[in-house]
Each structure stands twice: as structure tokens, then as C-alpha cells.
């Protein structure tokens, strides 16, 4: 599997990504978002407060909606990705439906209507934050008619390949996914 990350606001990367996705060399494309305009890469941020986390999630969901509206990805990857780093800094505001339900629902409706799916990224399980997306969003996705799911370990090193996939499969069964 080749991973193609889509940077919506970064120096024309969308057109480059579209050309790469359309040239036939890739058999699967993950639509992902790591960098926010005016904020930068979520990995390199220091999270000081719940209100800062909530502000970043709001921007994150708006930008992720832009990725979801594109036509050249197969699944939207690791929805809620920033939680990993918010957990690291002890300020995880959690991307809950209570706080962001309307935006999350709109995002999931876009994914479903385009015939795309979601990736469950297991790296957060390894880091103690749970999968991305979490159970609440997976249940909503399923209740809205979402069916397409992939599961990935986001390994980065050989020792982590396949790590926590069984946990993700169990969560999917709990959320009502049959296949």
C-alpha cells in the first residue's frame, strides 16, 4: 500500500496529489491532514489548554472537510489525529460529538455520499489515546450508513506492523460493522 497524504492548503500540493493519484501508479490513496493553516503541523504544536485544543479541532475539522470533498482519495485517514499530541501534552479536549457534532456529521455525510470510507488508525491505541477516529465517531458513521472501513497500524517501523489491528476489529464489531 502506498500512502499519499493530501495537503489542502500547502503550496499547490492538492494539484500534485491529484496528478499522482490519477496516474495509475497508486492502488489506494489515504486522504489525510497533518498541517493547519496559520498553525502548522499538529505534531510540532504544544497544547496548553482545553480551549486551545477545541480551537485547533474546529480548524482541523474545517480543513478536513476540504479534504473530504476531493475526488481522488479512497479513505479519510486518522480522523482526530491531533488527539495523539494533545494526550501527550495532557490537554486532550477530545473531539467529541457534544462539542463538534454538526461538523463531524457533515464530514461523515460527505465521505459517505462520495462513496469513500474511513481508516481506523491504531497508533493511538499504542500511545494510550485510543484509535483515530474513536468509538463515538465510528458509531455515528455506522448509524449514518457508513460501511467502508480500513484498519492500519501506522507502523513507521517494522516492529509495529499490524500492532493493535485485532483491537480495532473488535471495536468495529462492537460498533455494528459486520464486514
Amino acid at each position: 500500500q502506498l500512502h499519499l497524504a493530501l495537503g489542502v492548503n500547502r503550496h499547490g500540493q492538492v494539484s500534485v496529489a491529484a496528478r499522482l493519484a490519477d496516474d495509475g501508479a497508486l492502488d489506494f490513496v489515504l486522504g489525510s491532514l497533518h498541517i493547519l493553516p496559520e498553525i502548522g503541523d499538529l505534531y510540532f504544536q504544544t497544547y496548553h489548554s482545553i480551549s486551545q485544543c477545541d480551537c485547533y479541532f474546529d480548524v482541523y475539522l474545517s480543513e478536513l472537510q476540504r479534504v473530504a470533498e476531493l475526488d481522488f482519495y479512497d479513505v479519510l485517514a486518522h480522523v482526530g489525529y491531533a488527539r495523539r499530541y494533545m494526550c501527550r501534552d495532557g490537554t486532550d479536549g477530545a473531539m467529541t460529538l457534544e462539542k463538534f457534532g454538526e461538523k463531524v456529521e457533515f464530514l461523515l455525510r460527505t465521505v459517505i455520499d462520495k462513496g469513500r470510507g474511513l481508516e481506523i488508525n491504531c497508533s493511538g491505541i499504542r500511545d494510550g489515546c485510543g484509535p483515530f477516529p474513536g468509538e463515538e465517531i465510528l458509531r455515528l458513521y455506522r448509524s449514518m450508513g457508513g460501511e467502508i472501513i480500513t484498519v492500519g497500524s501506522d507502523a513507521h517501523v517494522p516492529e509495529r506492523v499490524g500492532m493493535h489491528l485485532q483491537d480495532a476489529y473488535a471495536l468495529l464489531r462492537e460498533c455494528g460493522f459486520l464486514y
Side-chain angles (χ1 to χ4, degrees):
Q1 171 182 322
L2 296 172
H3 176 115
L4 177 61
L6 310 174
V8 173
N9 286 324
R10 303 300 290 177
H11 313 293
Q13 288 181 355
V14 170
S15 60
V16 171
R19 280 195 309 276
L20 287 170
D22 289 341
D23 80 358
L26 303 176
D27 52 6
F28 198 81
V29 178
L30 298 174
S32 64
L33 178 66
H34 297 88
I35 299 169
L36 300 180
E38 310 301 321
I39 295 170
D41 192 319
L42 294 164
Y43 174 84
F44 294 109
Q45 301 307 308
T46 302
Y47 301 93
H48 301 286
S49 67
I50 299 298
S51 61
Q52 177 195 23
C53 294
D54 289 347
C55 176
Y56 282 13
F57 267 130
D58 189 55
V59 174
Y60 170 79
L61 287 169
S62 294
E63 292 301 307
L64 195 58
Q65 178 65 38
R66 294 179 67 186
V67 174
E69 292 168 358
L70 297 171
D71 290 324
F72 54 88
Y73 70 94
D74 295 294
V75 296
L76 203 55
H78 56 60
V79 173
Y81 152 84
R83 286 191 48 242
R84 176 186 304 145
Y85 310 113
M86 293 174 184
C87 285
R88 170 196 69 200
D89 292 349
T91 55
D92 179 14
M95 191 173 70
T96 66
L97 295 179
E98 182 180 329
K99 292 180 182 179
F100 300 101
E102 192 173 303
K103 279 190 166 188
V104 171
E105 236 178 279
F106 187 64
L107 175 71
L108 297 178
R109 176 56 48 210
T110 301
V111 169
I112 292 166
D113 289 350
K114 286 190 149 297
R116 310 289 193 239
L118 295 179
E119 177 229 20
I120 298 179
N121 186 298
C122 297
S123 65
I125 299 171
R126 177 184 72 231
D127 296 338
C129 294
F132 310 113
E135 181 177 348
E136 186 179 39
I137 292 172
L138 291 170
R139 286 187 183 280
L140 176 60
Y141 176 68
R142 182 69 196 111
S143 74
M144 293 173 69
E147 295 182 340
I148 301 170
I149 293 280
T150 63
V151 178
S153 54
D154 199 359
H156 290 254
V157 294
E159 305 81 58
R160 293 180 177 170
V161 171
M163 191 178 258
H164 295 292
L165 297 187
Q166 293 303 321
D167 297 326
Y169 298 146
L171 175 59
L172 286 170
R173 284 189 294 278
E174 290 172 22
C175 291
F177 291 90
L178 303 176
Y179 54 89

